[in-house]
Amino acid sequence: METSVASFKIGIAAFIVPFMFFYNGAILMDGTWLEVIQASATAVFGVYLLSSGVQGWFMGGMTAWFIRLALLLAALCMIAGGLVTDLIGIGLTAATYFVQKVFKPSPDAQIRVSGAD
């Protein structure tokens, strides 16, 4: 089971890349040079964010679960292939980087749950 989880973490980016071609034709060099460069840069950055979110490493350190979730959301925004979603993804990535560098949350952060008693 441990091997299958590790292979999933490594291979998820390779599974998502074909869907990126469907959402953004500029990755296939169909469009102006500016569109192709923008689509390629955001695709590479989106795959990096996806891998960071799944594997749990971002900017040199282990991340907490909520930072991983934010990285996954940012990756999906970057992969979608529109200017608005790219800007949302970049903003979300900047916010997660800020939270990780300034607040330094523990990778083992837990959700505090208390009952009604």
Side-chain angles (χ1 to χ4, degrees), residues 3 18 21 33 39-41 46 58-59 61-62 74 78 80 86 90 92 97 100 117:
T3 304
F21 297 131
W33 283 106
S40 300
F58 181 62
M59 297 296 180
M62 288 291 293
M78 298 296 282
D86 289 346
I90 290 170
L92 196 54
Y97 179 76
Q100 183 173 352
D117 50 323

Side-chain angles (χ1 to χ4, degrees), residues 20 23-24 27 38-50 71-93:
M20 294 170 68
Y23 283 114
N24 196 352
I27 297 174
Q38 177 191 1
S40 300
T42 58
V44 168
F45 193 59
V47 168
Y48 169 73
L49 293 176
L50 180 68
L71 289 173
L72 288 172
L73 291 174
L76 292 176
C77 287
M78 298 296 282
I79 289 171
L83 182 62
V84 174
T85 57
D86 289 346
L87 292 175
I88 291 170
I90 290 170
L92 196 54
T93 304

Side-chain angles (χ1 to χ4, degrees), residues 63-77:
T63 59
W65 67 270
F66 53 89
I67 292 180
R68 291 175 74 173
L69 182 64
L71 289 173
L72 288 172
L73 291 174
L76 292 176
C77 287

